[in-house]
Amino acid sequence: MQTLDIPDAELYYDPHFLKQEEADAYFLRLEREISWQQESIRMFGKELPMPRLTAWYGDKAYTYSGLYNAPKPWVPVLQELKDRVEQASGHIYNSVLLNFYRHGNDSMGWHADDEAALGDEPAIASLSLGGERRFSLKHRARQDLKPVHITLAHGSLLLMQGPTQHHWLHHIPKTKRPVQPRINLTFRRVKA
Ligand SMILES: O=C(O)CCC(=O)C(=O)O
Ligand SMILES: [Mn+2]
């Protein structure tokens, strides 16, 4: 993995974590085998559909964006990917959040993965498949630091750890560019 040299963060990126054919095959399996949900979010007193599909698998229940997610047992495709991501990243995970961005109008707002249940300096391993989308980070406090943009490639792995979630927010913005559907998996370790 290559180190991304960003202050107050610890980030590693491997654009070629999976070979092209492997990444193609995993995309198709996940599209078919995952039970994708269309959740809604409450915003300004209104129920709005979340701008992406989601799924949560793992050994522990988890509350994310105010949504309670019951534990759901690992399926073979996720177990395989979890093993490979653990091997490459040197961390053990017990949960995965999956996001399906159907088109350029699907997105994820600014946030940090800093829920108490993830512990103080969580390691989060993010695997991307399908259409390339821009992932941006912005420092919470330091205005002298420019936002960082990373185009997350098909089959790539991004590892965020150390103080990253303390100091930086990240998002996936909408795009008007035509883009292929994209699946992202973030492997996490949820504490008891
Ligand atoms: O889709 C991505 O690359 C980011 C996903 C993310 O930030 C998350 O699941 O918390
Ligand atoms: Mn995140």
Side-chain angles (χ1 to χ4, degrees), residues 64 97 99 101 108 111 113 126 128 135 152 160 170-172 182 184 186 188:
Y64 176 84
L97 176 67
N99 285 288
Y101 303 82
M108 185 178 294
H111 70 281
D113 296 301
S126 166
S128 293
F135 175 87
L152 294 175
M160 302 187 268
H170 55 269
H171 78 157
I172 298 279
R182 169 175 186 267
N184 176 266
T186 44
R188 301 143 186 262

Side-chain angles (χ1 to χ4, degrees), residues 3 8 10 21 37 45 49 75 92 144 154 183-184 187:
T3 302
D8 293 344
E10 196 179 334
E21 313 80 72
Q37 314 280 323
V75 291
I92 301 291
D144 59 308
H154 180 45
I183 293 173
N184 176 266
F187 291 90

